Amino acid sequence: MNWALAAPELVLAVSALGILLNGVLRTRDSTILCTVLAVAVCVITAVLVIDTPTATAFGGLFVSDAFSRYSKLLILAGTVLCVVLSLDYNSRQRISRFEFPVLMLLSAVGMMVMSSANNLMTLYMGLELQSLAVYVLAAFARDDIRSAEAGLKYFVLSALASGLLLYGISLAYGFSGSMDFSRIAQAVMDPAGVSAGLTVGIAFIIAGLAFKLSAVPFHMWTPDVYEGAPTSVTAFMSTAPKVAPFVVLLRVMFGPFGHVTAQWQPIIVLISIASMLLGSFAAIAQTNIKRLMAYSSIGHMGYALVGLAAGTQTGVRGVLVYLLTYVVMSAGSFSCIVAMRRRGLAVDKIADLSGLARNDLTLATLLAIFMFSMAGVPPLAGFFGKLLVFQAAVDAGMWTLAIIGVLTSVVSCFYYLRVIKVMFFDASVAPFDVRSRSLSVVALATGAFTLIFFVYPAPFLGAANQAARALFG
Amino acid sequence: MIVAVAFYVFSAILLGSAAMVVTSRNPVHSVLFLILAFFNAAALFLIAGAEFLAMILVIVYVGAVAVLFLFVVMMLDVDFTALREGFQRYAPVGATVGVVLFFELASVLLGWRMSGDVSAAVLTRLPSHVQNTRAIGQVLYTDYFLLFQLSGLILLVAMIGAIVLTHRGRHTSKRQNITRQQERRVDETLQVVTVRSGAGIRELGLYRPIPVGREPVLAAPATTEVSTIVAQDQ
Amino acid sequence: MRDFFTNNVLGILLLTIAETLAILVPVLIGMAYSTFFERKALAAFQLRRGPNVVGPFGLWQPFADAVKVFTKETIVPAGASRSLFLLAPMLTFVLACLAWAVIPVNDNWAAANINVGILYLFAISSLGVYGIIIAGWASNSKYAFLGAMRSAAQMVSYEVSIGFVLVTVMLCVGSLNLNDVVRAQSHHWFAFTLLFPMFVVFLISMLAETNRAPFDLPEGESELVAGFFVEYSAMSFALFFLGEYTNMIMMSALGSVLFLGGWQAPFGLTFIPGVFWLAAKICVLMFFFFWVRATFPRFRYDQLMRLGWKVFLPLSLLWLVLTAGYLELTGTLPMEAL
């Protein structure tokens, strides 16, 4: 039974319970203490993750390899950033409660289990744990009707997606005879022997996971939920909970279904193209920055899917680097969006950013860096992710994908640059409230990463390469 | 023969009540038909020899989940005619999705062969002397322990969620503090007051209930020894 | 002859009917007389005489009551959901009788000696709430509805702790078969071992499960008139009444089987048959019901919920863990190789 392999998850889960107990038993408000503890626990878990060896545990239900370690570190980083940036926002919105960091930690446990899944059941359990916590977080501002709506919408649609996923899993199980990834891979070794049932199963599994990724055509919930949920939660939703389903998708497609590439590649290509197109065109008309970020995330998932569609090891490496830069950029942009409040009220219109450069040059510059990076302007971090996935597509001979990717990137530049134009060239309005130090720390750290990633990308590229090799090895 | 008859009877009732769940006009009747469906499913489990699953299905779904369904449906007074209003408008979209799904499923179905003897297709057969309760326990707490614990965490998150989203620490209702009740002594609660004969307590400035935190006002010293016990408002 | 009863369809059917009657007839007579003894016991507690007019010592009183309810008119209120209104009392009564199928009245004497007897009983007792909910809803009356709502919340809450009590007993026995549960108590009755606190929890939860005083809020005659059966009359009312008492006897039987050694004879008095001992233990627990009713005032609703969720649930959970730990430490965990 090799418990040690799951030590990071165990430590994280048990500490989350401890923090919860601490919060419940203390009579005074202990949100700050719980948040600090949550960050500390994430750091300890990250150290444990680095230390775990490569092996399988729990009778093959759970696997730890370079790929899972890379994804777990990414998930933990995203969680820490969001826990920190939510602290100030929540207390100013009067929704700060000690359960908030606890739910984020439990969600992180789910995501880590997902990235270590070596069995379709483990995958599903992790996914549900992750999603259930996020549903609650989305409705966290329970007195705000929009937040309640966001939570409900996300819950209902996501439950449907989980149903599709389960249905896919049951079909895959029925037609391959196992839930275990390696046994499924053996069972479907010969692409000629793949039945229609398995193909339908794969399609349903992709649909379920694509919903969590908010890839077109399963994206409908994204703008509304992003807009309605508290911004701190939106920030969380656009970082770690995007990474986990993606790495699971990678593992499922290249693990059990690695021999039946022909069955899933067209679906992924289609989803990827649709996401890139919708993400770039639908975002143009947006006036709300949170909705803009929602469409932007749809687009980004489309770009990242290009790497998966390529179906090669370089493609996976590209995806992993893309996810890394995406998490950092997203957390950074949201730390700027969270700072948008005037006279105690949170504002989220793009017009509210008007002339920000004159009032708060640091914030404007940081947001500009993130927008440029999201648009894929060299030499910022976002450029490398896009470069690697497009390169992988070209290497795999998928010219159409690469060309559509580049063209939609150009289109998406329009709305990213519009934000920058509004901040730097429009008439200034009243300044924002003084932002807290925790936000500045997150924004500066992520900004610095985005800015100087190109100077020394080798360790990250190396880690991504190792992780990708683990998936194919 | 009995088993076959029982199987068809239970299956028929199951399908019939499942259909009634969807078609009943009254939501309470729908839930009750749902319960009937659960019951027949449990009976089918019994026929298949899965007695543990059958009992758990009744305990969990009928005994707990459906009670809450019924609770909610009775309390909410859902107007189903209003809910059905959009039916005509969304029917084409729903029908399209339904047709697509149907054809996908049909394509799967066409690939199927009917197996003559289902029991031959069982992959792992239990030794006949092992009860299936024990057999489930043997794998659930060993091979699938990780999943078992994860489901526990999922339920915990659901519970935290329910509390976070609905619990309001209202202090308008009176609460019982058992420790305080136990520690209370007679002289903190009861006060012996001597009242002048013929004078009401109103005249003495004593009101019931005495407002919290205010000492009772004693009027002029009493002349007659009449003791009244005034309970102080808790 | 033996072959006829084990292989022939008709024979099996006849045998089953005979077994059912052999169990149900004594239970129903016992039920009728438990109403009589309750009135006598309450009267004694309150220094009254109780029913003493019909027959010697009032012994024919239950039959007089039966004749009365049979001859009255069943009234279905206007606006009530007729079919459900009539279904509810039948459901309550049938469920109370169903549970008797698995109670072992002597060694290996049970109408159905099934592997999952404990779960079956738990399942049946968790269904009891439906009769009450349906009655409350179908009556189309606010008192009935309030009673039903209270009852649903109450029974679901106390089922949780009863569940843990059952799990603890299962741990000590290593089987879900009720006959095995009784056999495991051949040396020590569970009520007088480590499980004593669970026995107390069971006794109190049993009161709540059967909606008896001091947890009779669903009836709550001082505030809800008669709670969920306020609209019932004649035979439909009688069925609720019968159901309640049958349930009480059933819970007493369950308590005896789980904690008081079922048909096991105390002090080595094995020459007296087990059936008698089970009946005696049931009578003791039934008296407990009456005694509590005469002694305690009704709980307030929040006190009831508090007791269930904040006292019994943690206590039974803790005791479950302690028991499991104790059995594991002393190596007495009953285990069979697969």
Side-chain angles (χ1 to χ4, degrees):
Chain A
M1 199 156 325
N2 213 346
W3 288 85
L5 275 193
E9 284 81 0
L10 290 176
V11 168
L12 194 57
V14 171
S15 321
L17 298 187
I19 296 173
L20 180 68
L21 211 58
N22 168 56
V24 171
L25 293 183
R26 272 173 168 255
T27 39
R28 278 182 299 129
D29 180 47
S30 55
T31 316
I32 294 178
L33 177 68
C34 288
T35 310
V36 172
L37 284 175
V39 172
V41 165
C42 283
V43 173
I44 294 171
T45 313
V47 174
L48 287 172
V49 166
I50 296 172
D51 264 1
T52 39
T54 301
T56 57
F58 298 104
L61 290 174
F62 189 90
V63 64
S64 165
D65 52 13
F67 182 73
S68 75
R69 284 194 290 276
Y70 181 90
S71 353
K72 284 179 193 176
L73 288 179
L74 202 50
I75 288 165
L76 285 170
T79 311
V80 167
L81 290 175
C82 295
V83 167
V84 174
L85 74 79
S86 63
L87 184 62
D88 174 63
Y89 177 84
N90 286 357
S91 72
R92 292 202 197 187
Q93 289 293 94
R94 296 175 202 288
I95 54 169
S96 80
R97 298 180 64 164
F98 68 86
E99 287 97 340
F100 195 90
V102 173
L103 284 170
M104 279 191 169
L105 286 187
L106 288 172
S107 176
V109 173
M111 292 187 271
M112 287 168 70
V113 169
M114 274 164 87
S115 56
S116 267
N118 197 30
N119 186 303
L120 289 172
M121 281 193 284
T122 321
L123 184 168
Y124 182 71
M125 286 303 200
L127 188 77
E128 279 304 289
L129 182 56
Q130 182 261 117
S131 321
L132 203 55
V134 179
Y135 306 148
V136 178
L137 287 174
F140 210 80
R142 57 186 189 184
D143 294 318
D144 178 5
I145 193 157
R146 289 192 313 165
S147 170
E149 184 200 332
L152 197 62
K153 210 172 240 176
Y154 189 36
F155 172 67
V156 171
L157 291 175
S158 196
L160 182 70
S162 293
L164 289 183
L165 179 70
L166 266 187
Y167 188 50
I169 287 176
S170 69
L171 282 176
Y173 173 60
F175 283 91
S176 66
S178 179
M179 296 256 197
D180 189 84
F181 285 177
S182 45
R183 289 221 209 121
I184 296 179
Q186 275 171 12
V188 298
M189 193 79 91
D190 176 22
V194 173
S195 59
L198 188 72
T199 312
V200 175
I202 295 176
F204 275 116
I205 291 177
I206 292 178
L209 290 174
F211 177 89
K212 307 282 172 184
L213 290 178
S214 66
V216 181
F218 308 102
H219 66 285
M220 276 81 152
W221 56 278
T222 322
D224 293 346
V225 174
Y226 268 46
E227 189 191 358
T231 312
S232 50
V233 178
T234 314
F236 182 59
M237 281 162 61
S238 66
T239 53
K242 286 280 185 299
V243 175
F246 214 115
V247 296
V248 159
L249 192 61
L250 289 177
R251 197 188 278 284
V252 173
M253 289 307 130
F254 291 114
F257 304 131
H259 300 294
V260 289
T261 324
Q263 317 290 328
W264 52 260
Q265 212 165 19
I267 310 179
I268 298 287
V269 168
L270 211 67
I271 292 180
S272 169
I273 292 177
S275 304
M276 289 191 288
L277 287 175
L278 187 111
S280 47
F281 284 101
I284 292 175
Q286 302 306 321
T287 55
N288 182 307
I289 186 114
K290 280 160 87 178
R291 287 185 85 86
L292 180 84
M293 291 303 290
Y295 284 105
S296 144
S297 85
I298 294 174
H300 280 295
M301 287 302 121
Y303 298 127
L305 281 169
V306 171
L308 171 58
T312 57
Q313 190 180 322
T314 47
V316 173
R317 184 188 65 165
V319 174
L320 291 176
V321 173
Y322 200 106
L323 287 176
L324 168 69
T325 56
Y326 174 70
V327 164
V328 175
M329 292 183 306
S330 256
S333 337
F334 274 102
S335 65
C336 298
I337 296 172
V338 163
M340 290 168 60
R341 61 179 44 250
R342 230 173 238 135
R343 291 189 212 94
L345 288 177
V347 290
D348 51 9
K349 293 273 176 294
I350 295 176
D352 288 316
L353 286 166
S354 184
L356 181 65
R358 253 150 285 166
N359 296 324
D360 190 345
L361 187 60
T362 326
L363 190 67
T365 314
L366 282 169
L367 191 52
I369 289 175
F370 296 127
M371 289 295 138
F372 274 128
S373 177
M374 290 227 176
V377 174
L380 297 171
F383 167 71
F384 287 91
K386 276 194 179 139
L387 179 69
L388 288 173
V389 290
F390 291 155
Q391 206 172 24
V394 170
D395 286 348
M398 300 184 141
W399 283 95
T400 338
L401 262 186
I403 290 171
I404 293 179
V406 172
L407 288 181
T408 49
S409 290
V410 173
V411 175
S412 69
C413 274
F414 170 76
Y415 59 82
Y416 290 127
L417 291 179
R418 191 174 54 144
V419 174
I420 297 170
K421 174 234 161 201
V422 168
M423 287 193 298
F424 282 86
F425 301 110
D426 282 8
S428 81
V429 284
F432 289 144
D433 294 354
V434 181
R435 62 178 188 277
S436 79
R437 198 163 294 155
S438 59
L439 279 187
S440 307
V441 167
V442 174
L444 282 173
T446 48
F449 181 91
T450 316
L451 197 59
I452 59 173
F453 179 75
F454 74 97
V455 179
Y456 193 51
F460 301 105
L461 294 182
N465 204 15
Q466 220 178 347
R469 200 181 310 135
L471 196 60
F472 280 85
Chain B
M1 203 272 278
I2 297 184
V3 175
V5 170
F7 173 80
Y8 285 111
V9 168
F10 287 129
S11 310
I13 302 178
L14 172 62
L15 292 178
S17 50
M20 289 303 289
V21 174
V22 189
T23 50
S24 285
R25 290 200 164 272
N26 190 330
V28 173
H29 292 178
S30 287
V31 179
L32 292 174
F33 276 114
L34 183 67
I35 293 163
L36 189 61
F38 280 143
F39 250 113
N40 287 287
L44 290 182
F45 270 134
L46 273 184
I47 291 175
E51 71 246 10
F52 180 75
L53 284 183
M55 292 305 151
I56 289 296
L57 183 71
V58 175
I59 293 173
V60 175
Y61 281 93
V62 184
V65 175
V67 173
L68 296 182
F69 277 8
L70 206 56
F71 215 98
V72 171
V73 167
M74 284 177 177
M75 296 287 252
L76 280 187
D77 192 22
V78 187
D79 186 1
F80 272 68
T81 41
L83 278 182
R84 290 207 178 105
E85 253 170 24
F87 185 77
Q88 296 269 321
R89 201 145 46 91
Y90 300 119
V93 183
T96 319
V97 176
V99 167
V100 170
L101 282 178
F102 176 78
F103 276 108
E104 279 183 5
L105 287 181
S107 71
V108 176
L109 255 174
L110 290 179
W112 269 3
R113 272 172 292 115
M114 284 298 223
S115 162
D117 182 18
V118 182
S119 57
V122 177
L123 285 179
T124 26
R125 200 176 291 279
L126 271 184
S128 58
H129 65 278
V130 179
Q131 296 177 11
N132 59 40
T133 315
R134 191 180 295 276
I136 289 175
Q138 294 276 4
V139 290
L140 192 59
Y141 301 114
T142 54
D143 295 354
Y144 297 110
F145 189 68
L146 177 75
L147 303 181
F148 182 73
Q149 291 295 336
L150 276 177
S151 10
L153 271 187
I154 293 175
L155 292 179
L156 177 75
V157 168
M159 197 163 83
I160 299 175
I163 294 172
V164 164
L165 295 184
T166 57
H167 179 72
R168 288 171 200 273
R170 274 186 309 181
H171 297 291
T172 49
S173 57
K174 280 192 177 179
R175 283 166 195 234
Q176 188 179 26
N177 187 340
I178 289 185
T179 339
R180 225 179 95 207
Q181 282 184 347
Q182 299 288 341
E183 285 173 349
R184 207 161 62 171
R185 289 194 313 260
V186 177
D187 52 337
E188 290 169 15
T189 321
L190 299 176
Q191 193 177 18
V192 182
V193 181
T194 40
V195 178
R196 200 160 9 98
S197 173
I201 51 166
R202 181 173 292 272
E203 195 171 308
L204 289 171
L206 288 169
Y207 296 99
R208 289 184 72 173
I210 296 167
V212 181
R214 186 138 54 86
E215 285 299 308
V217 189
L218 290 179
T223 48
T224 334
E225 294 287 303
V226 180
S227 294
T228 312
I229 293 174
V230 179
Q232 212 161 319
D233 183 44
Q234 187 50 54
Chain C
M1 191 64 196
R2 192 186 177 82
D3 198 49
F4 173 73
F5 284 120
T6 50
N7 285 330
N8 193 308
V9 175
L10 190 68
I12 294 174
L13 207 64
L14 282 177
L15 186 68
T16 312
I17 291 174
E19 277 176 345
T20 314
L21 286 179
I23 290 186
L24 279 188
V25 169
V27 167
L28 290 181
I29 293 175
M31 185 280 308
Y33 272 93
S34 62
T35 62
F36 173 72
F37 283 117
E38 171 165 36
R39 291 167 73 179
K40 276 287 192 196
L42 283 182
F45 278 115
Q46 297 160 355
L47 302 180
R48 295 184 282 113
R49 282 177 192 278
N52 62 353
V53 177
V54 195
F57 311 107
L59 272 174
W60 304 135
Q61 186 65 43
F63 298 98
D65 290 343
V67 170
K68 186 183 82 173
V69 292
F70 265 118
T71 49
K72 286 200 164 189
E73 183 195 355
T74 300
I75 298 167
V76 180
S81 171
R82 192 181 170 86
S83 51
L84 287 179
F85 185 82
L86 294 176
L87 175 76
M90 293 183 220
L91 196 63
T92 307
F93 182 65
V94 168
L95 283 174
C97 293
L98 266 184
W100 280 93
V102 292
I103 301 274
V105 291
N106 204 342
D107 198 0
N108 268 333
W109 283 20
N113 191 4
I114 58 173
N115 286 335
V116 286
I118 295 187
L119 287 182
Y120 173 82
L121 272 185
F122 190 49
I124 295 292
S125 77
S126 69
L127 298 181
V129 67
Y130 281 110
I132 295 176
I133 282 200
I134 294 175
W137 184 78
S139 298
N140 197 19
S141 145
K142 52 181 170 288
Y143 296 119
F145 191 62
L146 278 173
M149 288 290 127
R150 284 181 177 190
S151 167
Q154 168 180 336
M155 290 174 82
V156 169
S157 309
Y158 279 83
E159 234 149 59
V160 181
S161 41
I162 288 205
F164 281 118
V165 170
L166 293 180
V167 171
T168 322
V169 174
M170 283 179 216
L171 262 184
C172 297
V173 177
S175 165
L176 294 175
N177 182 310
L178 285 169
N179 205 45
D180 291 350
V181 173
V182 179
R183 281 219 188 119
Q185 301 178 65
S186 54
H187 298 297
H188 306 285
W189 294 359
F190 283 147
F192 306 114
T193 59
L194 187 70
L195 295 187
F196 180 71
M198 295 309 252
F199 180 52
V200 176
V201 170
F202 179 83
L203 282 184
I204 300 174
S205 307
M206 157 177 105
L207 298 174
E209 272 292 285
T210 46
N211 294 317
R212 290 286 300 185
F215 304 112
D216 55 347
L217 288 117
E219 288 179 43
E221 74 280 348
S222 53
E223 44 204 288
L224 296 182
V225 197
F228 61 90
F229 54 69
V230 67
E231 302 291 348
Y232 283 87
S233 60
M235 208 48 215
S236 55
F237 167 77
L239 280 178
F240 270 123
F241 203 67
L242 299 181
E244 182 177 332
Y245 280 84
T246 317
N247 254 330
M248 283 162 64
I249 304 180
M250 201 277 289
M251 285 311 260
S252 305
L254 182 59
S256 336
V257 167
L258 290 181
F259 290 103
L260 299 177
W263 39 260
Q264 302 271 11
F267 316 119
L269 298 172
T270 41
F271 62 90
I272 303 174
V275 183
F276 170 79
W277 287 115
L278 181 67
K281 286 165 190 172
I282 291 177
C283 288
V284 170
L285 287 184
M286 286 300 283
F287 181 71
F288 172 77
F289 272 104
F290 308 149
W291 189 9
V292 168
R293 177 170 173 191
T295 313
F296 288 102
R298 184 177 300 136
F299 267 53
R300 214 169 54 208
Y301 192 69
D302 63 319
Q303 293 171 325
L304 172 98
M305 284 294 162
R306 189 196 138 87
L307 186 69
W309 290 106
K310 287 189 168 176
V311 180
F312 281 0
L313 180 59
L315 179 73
S316 49
L317 202 53
L318 177 74
W319 213 259
L320 173 65
V321 175
L322 281 181
T323 312
Y326 173 80
L327 292 175
E328 177 69 34
L329 270 182
T330 56
T332 43
L333 200 62
M335 271 213 287
E336 291 165 33
L338 184 71

